[in-house]
Amino acid sequence: MKNTIALIMLLMPLMVSAQGFPGGDPQQMQVMMQKAKEMQACMQHVDQVKMQAFQQRAQRMGEEVKALCAAGKRDEALNTAISYSQEIAADSAMKEVKRCAEIMKGVMPDLSADISDYKDDGSEQHICD
């Protein structure tokens, strides 16, 4: 959770300049700070041990998918990634993270977009590409 808040704080100047606020609008910065505090309070209810386990497992999954792709097992790589994505999206801790990320909606880029189950967007791009 501390890492999330630290990341938000580090990204704020970039977000302000990217949103066209030369020098930073004090009122907008105040809103961002308030939203960051709300998100921090929300994240205190998320099981941090579980989140750390997800992070470690995601790294292993990424390596596994890369290995499957390198071995030419494209379908297996895709199925592995989809299965893991659906498992994460169904987890109660990840649902809570997604709910907490909604607090920052409109203030920061959509953080909840990374926490969703797999949906085929019709794209021709494959996970191995």
Side-chain angles (χ1 to χ4, degrees):
M1 176 176 52
K2 289 180 184 177
N3 292 339
T4 303
I5 298 304
L7 178 63
I8 290 169
M9 299 305 262
L10 289 173
L11 292 176
M12 276 190 196
L14 293 174
M15 290 183 295
V16 169
S17 64
Q19 291 182 7
F21 295 101
D25 178 3
Q27 187 176 8
Q28 183 65 20
M29 287 296 288
Q30 188 175 16
V31 169
M32 281 194 282
M33 292 296 290
Q34 180 59 37
K35 294 284 186 178
K37 287 179 184 178
E38 288 174 28
M39 184 176 176
Q40 180 180 18
C42 182
M43 290 295 290
Q44 287 179 343
H45 302 289
V46 176
D47 184 346
Q48 295 302 309
V49 173
K50 203 171 194 181
M51 295 308 302
Q52 205 165 24
F54 270 125
Q55 183 179 10
Q56 292 168 353
R57 186 153 178 243
Q59 187 172 6
R60 288 191 309 270
M61 272 296 171
E63 292 166 1
E64 181 181 341
V65 167
K66 284 180 187 177
L68 289 168
C69 289
K73 299 178 179 179
R74 295 170 59 88
D75 289 341
E76 190 176 342
L78 181 61
N79 290 336
T80 299
I82 290 171
S83 175
Y84 182 63
S85 174
Q86 291 172 338
E87 178 185 332
I88 286 176
D91 185 81
S92 61
M94 291 307 283
K95 286 179 181 178
E96 185 70 13
V97 170
K98 187 173 183 175
R99 189 182 70 73
C100 292
E102 290 289 324
I103 293 169
M104 297 302 289
K105 195 170 195 157
V107 179
M108 285 185 60
D110 189 5
L111 299 174
S112 65
D114 295 330
I115 310 167
S116 62
D117 55 347
Y118 175 80
K119 292 181 179 75
D120 186 3
D121 61 2
S123 170
E124 295 293 321
Q125 190 166 358
H126 191 277
I127 193 165
C128 292
D129 297 334

